[in-house]
């Protein structure tokens, strides 16, 4: 089983719609979770950290489900500028600097 | 504006060449990373340095040789590469505490001919 697994997509979603991605991780001892966004031919940039209690930032909501070992990202009222690849990132071991990336989910918002 | 700077942004090299990639951060971070990103593949961790000490070498071939002279600078020395080594090489840095994110440089797009 891959350490971090995502559906690669592509997800083609009309503007204004709500879209959700899931990401599963294999190491139950994982401590930190993040969603990054990567635009074409650019570097990944942090979108949001994922906290145990879930967190929201504007149109974006991230959730963590430790029992089922997955994190999710929900984007409401999607904009054309949301088109990007969304990377799930897991810090597998406490005190370990290793960040493991998923393959990314490609999202295209259609006008 | 990224706090992590990589040079060069693009590099074309022959299989017999020797070149180096440079990464610099002034964010006060103590962990620095090299990642490789090939087309249609996830980011692959290559090396991790924490307080200038290498803490991870992810089974990377010896034709890639990292160097971390101080907490702000990281190099990746390249020699006798293969065409399949062509990829985007990304440097990242991070403060060494749980729940801190990594900041990436813009990457070096490497083509081996």
């Amino acid at each position: 089983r891959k350490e971090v697994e995502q559906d690669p997509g592509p997800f083609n979603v009309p503007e204004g719609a709500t879209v959700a991605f899931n990401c599963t991780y294999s190491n139950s001892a994982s401590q930190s979770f993040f969603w990054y966004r990567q635009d074409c031919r650019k570097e990944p940039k942090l979108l949001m950290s994922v906290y145990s209690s879930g967190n929201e930032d504007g149109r974006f909501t991230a959730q963590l489900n430790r029992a089922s070992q997955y994190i999710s990202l929900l984007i409401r009222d999607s904009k054309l500028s949301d088109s990007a690849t969304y990377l799930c990132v897991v810090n597998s071991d406490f005190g370990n600097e290793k960040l493991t990336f998923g393959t990314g989910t490609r999202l295209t918002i259609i006008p | 504006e990224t706090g992590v700077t990589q040079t060069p942004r693009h590099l074309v090299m022959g299989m017999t060449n020797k070149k180096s990639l440079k990464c610099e951060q002034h964010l006060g971070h103590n962990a620095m990373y090299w990642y490789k990103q090939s087309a249609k593949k996830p980011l692959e961790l290559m090396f991790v340095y924490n307080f200038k000490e290498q803490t991870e070498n992810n089974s990377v071939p010896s034709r890639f040789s990292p160097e971390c002279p101080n907490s702000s600078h990281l190099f990746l020395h390249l020699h006798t590469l293969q065409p399949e080594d062509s990829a985007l090489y990304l440097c990242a840095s991070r403060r060494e505490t749980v729940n801190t994110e990594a900041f990436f440089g813009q990457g070096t797009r490497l083509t081996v001919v």
Side-chain angles (χ1 to χ4, degrees), chain B residues 65-96:
Chain B
S65 173
E67 179 190 358
C68 188
N70 55 61
S71 294
S72 299
H73 294 85
L74 185 65
F75 295 90
L76 187 63
H77 304 300
L78 317 171
H79 64 99
T80 59
L81 295 193
Q82 304 297 312
E84 60 265 28
D85 295 323
S86 299
L88 180 68
Y89 288 85
L90 288 158
C91 173
S93 73
R94 184 179 181 214
R95 193 175 302 278
E96 188 215 5

Side-chain angles (χ1 to χ4, degrees), chain A residues 32 36 38 43 91 97 99, chain B residues 33 35 37 94 99 102 105:
Chain A
S32 310
Y36 275 71
Q38 187 172 24
E43 75 276 21
N91 189 168
E97 299 75 30
L99 291 174
Chain B
Y33 305 73
Y35 282 90
Q37 189 173 37
R94 184 179 181 214
N99 291 330

Side-chain angles (χ1 to χ4, degrees), chain B residues 41-57:
Chain B
K41 286 188 175 181
L43 278 155
E44 300 171 51
L45 179 64
M46 300 176 72
F47 301 104
V48 182
Y49 277 81
N50 189 21
F51 288 107
K52 304 185 299 176
E53 298 295 322
Q54 189 180 122
T55 58
E56 186 98 16
N57 176 339

Side-chain angles (χ1 to χ4, degrees), chain B residues 2-55:
Chain B
T2 180
V4 182
T5 305
Q6 286 187 245
T7 54
R9 294 287 306 280
H10 301 272
L11 178 62
V12 179
M13 61 185 288
M15 289 189 283
T16 58
N17 290 160
K18 287 185 181 181
K19 296 286 184 184
S20 296
L21 309 185
K22 181 182 175 182
C23 176
E24 190 173 350
Q25 60 92 5
H26 297 289
L27 299 169
H29 294 167
N30 46 266
M32 295 188 77
Y33 305 73
W34 280 117
Y35 282 90
K36 174 184 178 182
Q37 189 173 37
S38 305
K40 301 188 188 303
K41 286 188 175 181
L43 278 155
E44 300 171 51
L45 179 64
M46 300 176 72
F47 301 104
V48 182
Y49 277 81
N50 189 21
F51 288 107
K52 304 185 299 176
E53 298 295 322
Q54 189 180 122
T55 58

